[in-house]
Amino acid sequence: MDTCGYCKLQKEYHKKLKAKFPELVILEYDMGNPNSRLKHNEITKEVIGYNNDKGYVPVTIIGDEFNVGFGGENSTGQKLIGMIQREIEKRNKLR
């Protein structure tokens, strides 16, 4: 993640997300590490239905929704909050 500027921004934003949603579990994969890249590609293919072998990052998967890229706190950040809230609502309905 250290070489991707957008990844760095999103990683910083994760701190705010964790403060707002303490139950949130964040898995991060370093695309510079071949094993992490393989795991990341495996997950993106399974969850979002395509092979991310080009290494588009950051990829965020929350429930059955996903986002590629990070445009900042006021754009992508708000989208991620909406995704998290929808996932929480779905899980609460299952209880």
Side-chain angles (χ1 to χ4, degrees):
M1 263 191 187
D2 292 334
T3 60
C4 169
Y6 297 107
C7 296
K8 288 179 189 176
L9 290 172
Q10 182 163 333
K11 191 171 182 176
E12 279 299 311
Y13 188 65
H14 286 169
K15 294 174 187 171
K16 292 182 180 182
L17 289 176
K18 287 292 289 180
K20 186 172 180 76
F21 304 100
E23 71 279 12
L24 184 66
V25 175
I26 299 173
L27 303 176
E28 298 177 352
Y29 295 94
D30 178 357
M31 296 302 281
N33 176 309
N35 291 330
S36 288
R37 181 182 286 268
L38 285 173
K39 185 65 175 171
H40 173 271
N41 290 345
E42 183 180 296
I43 291 169
T44 55
K45 187 172 185 176
E46 179 182 328
V47 176
I48 63 180
Y50 78 92
N51 189 359
N52 188 16
D53 59 352
K54 300 279 189 249
Y56 300 123
V57 289
V59 174
T60 305
I61 302 167
I62 301 170
D64 60 358
E65 296 183 65
F66 72 95
N67 183 76
V68 179
F70 188 77
E73 186 173 334
N74 294 324
S75 57
T76 310
Q78 294 304 305
K79 181 178 180 181
L80 297 180
I81 288 173
M83 291 166 62
I84 293 166
Q85 290 171 331
R86 286 188 293 280
E87 183 62 20
I88 290 170
E89 287 172 15
K90 283 185 213 172
R91 290 179 184 217
N92 286 339
K93 286 180 183 177
L94 295 174
R95 291 182 184 175

